[in-house]
Amino acid sequence: MQYRMTIIIPVYNEIDNLDRIYSTFTDYFSKSKTKSKVLFIDDGSTDNSFTKIAEICEGNPDFEYLKFKNNCGLSAAIKAGIDHIKTELIGYIDADLQTTPYDFDLLLAEIDNYQAVIGYRGKRKDTLNKKIQSVIANSIRRGLINDGIIDTGCPLKVIHTDVAKKIPFFKGMHRFIPALILLQNGKIKQLRVQHFERIAGKSKFNIFNRSLKALRDTFAYRWMRSRYINYTIEKSKIDS
């Protein structure tokens, strides 16, 4: 049975979460009707994350990895994953497992009718400070681009690979994946998914990269949207 989906998991100093990722995904793979595998993207970790990733992947075809030489950021990690994936579908989830891979099956049930199916977090289990940062960032984005996306920060997503490979990339792109799919006239379904407290490791986000950088990147997206090229070929004759 061939793999249908590859799930990108960016990793930056998440050594305390990797054993749990392995056990959770191994159990999920045994129960899901969709044949899937994990692609770790080690974003220049400075702890022992990569050693553990290599150990997990050794002799296990359900787990693969890419390792960056230096820390490049979340958008670069997602782009590298998309660039290297060959399965029909791409999944995405964060290494903190504040969302669960079991909810991928909810998204997969709808994916044949949409270019992407994305989650939005129901009862958020974040700290008050993190909730405030997220509200500010989402308010900025919705006010400036009005894309109709409920929770762009929710990491749980399933996207058709051919659609993902057409997404224009820039630093901060991870905040605008649904909006960038809409630029392709893609259809997106949003589904409520579970959310959990972070039980290991530390968040890499703060008020600066959640709000101030988000504001800057939103203006970059607005410029791109105003200049975006989109066309449909009706007929063609091209000699090979």
Side-chain angles (χ1 to χ4, degrees):
M1 183 177 178
Q2 292 186 333
Y3 293 101
R4 189 185 185 204
M5 180 169 70
T6 303
I7 300 164
I8 296 170
I9 305 182
V11 175
Y12 180 64
N13 293 347
E14 293 284 1
I15 183 63
D16 294 331
N17 279 311
L18 287 167
D19 280 331
R20 190 162 63 98
I21 289 171
Y22 173 70
S23 61
T24 302
F25 272 89
T26 298
D27 185 65
Y28 167 65
F29 291 154
S30 72
K31 295 175 179 177
S32 177
K33 295 179 180 179
T34 300
K35 181 71 170 172
S36 303
K37 59 182 174 178
V38 160
L39 176 60
F40 292 111
I41 314 293
D42 183 86
D43 186 16
S45 294
T46 56
D47 61 2
N48 290 319
S49 289
F50 178 67
T51 301
K52 174 57 71 173
I53 287 171
E55 178 186 312
I56 290 171
C57 295
E58 181 66 28
N60 191 337
D62 291 343
F63 294 87
E64 301 174 330
Y65 68 77
L66 296 172
K67 183 183 185 300
F68 284 175
K69 183 176 181 179
N70 304 301
N71 177 247
C72 298
L74 183 55
S75 292
I78 296 171
K79 172 174 168 50
I82 291 173
D83 287 346
H84 287 80
I85 285 172
K86 296 181 174 62
T87 52
E88 174 192 351
L89 299 174
I90 290 174
Y92 172 64
I93 192 172
D94 280 347
D96 56 23
L97 288 188
Q98 287 192 257
T99 50
T100 175
Y102 299 100
D103 281 345
F104 273 122
D105 286 353
L106 298 175
L107 279 56
L108 288 163
E110 301 284 349
I111 193 60
D112 290 341
N113 299 313
Y114 298 90
Q115 279 64 54
V117 184
I118 64 175
Y120 66 89
R121 294 163 288 190
K123 294 182 178 180
R124 295 283 296 271
K125 302 296 184 180
D126 289 321
T127 64
L128 178 60
N129 186 45
K130 192 173 179 181
K131 287 179 181 178
I132 291 171
Q133 294 172 19
S134 184
V135 167
I136 293 171
N138 272 312
S139 296
I140 290 170
R141 180 188 52 78
R142 281 195 296 266
L144 289 174
I145 68 175
N146 191 28
D147 58 2
I149 302 302
I150 298 168
D151 182 11
T152 191
C154 179
L156 206 69
K157 297 176 174 68
V158 176
I159 308 168
H160 284 273
T161 300
D162 59 341
V163 173
K165 289 183 181 294
K166 294 177 185 176
I167 294 174
F169 284 89
F170 56 92
K171 289 184 178 180
M173 173 279 306
H174 61 275
R175 301 182 179 93
F176 301 95
I177 289 175
L180 291 165
I181 293 172
L182 292 173
L183 280 183
Q184 302 178 34
N185 296 322
K187 294 192 299 179
I188 294 175
K189 177 81 171 181
Q190 302 180 71
L191 296 174
R192 179 172 172 153
V193 297
Q194 302 173 83
H195 192 244
F196 305 90
E197 295 180 4
R198 178 187 263 272
I199 64 173
K202 295 181 179 179
S203 174
K204 312 305 184 295
F205 295 97
N206 53 47
I207 189 67
F208 174 70
N209 54 30
R210 280 187 182 275
S211 299
L212 300 182
K213 283 189 176 180
L215 177 61
R216 179 195 62 189
D217 294 339
T218 299
F219 281 109
Y221 170 82
R222 280 166 58 93
W223 177 87
M224 180 180 294
R225 182 175 62 183
S226 71
R227 309 291 290 175
Y228 188 73
I229 295 172
N230 204 358
Y231 61 86
T232 302
I233 295 174
E234 183 178 12
K235 298 180 180 180
S236 68
K237 181 183 182 300
I238 300 176
D239 294 331
S240 58

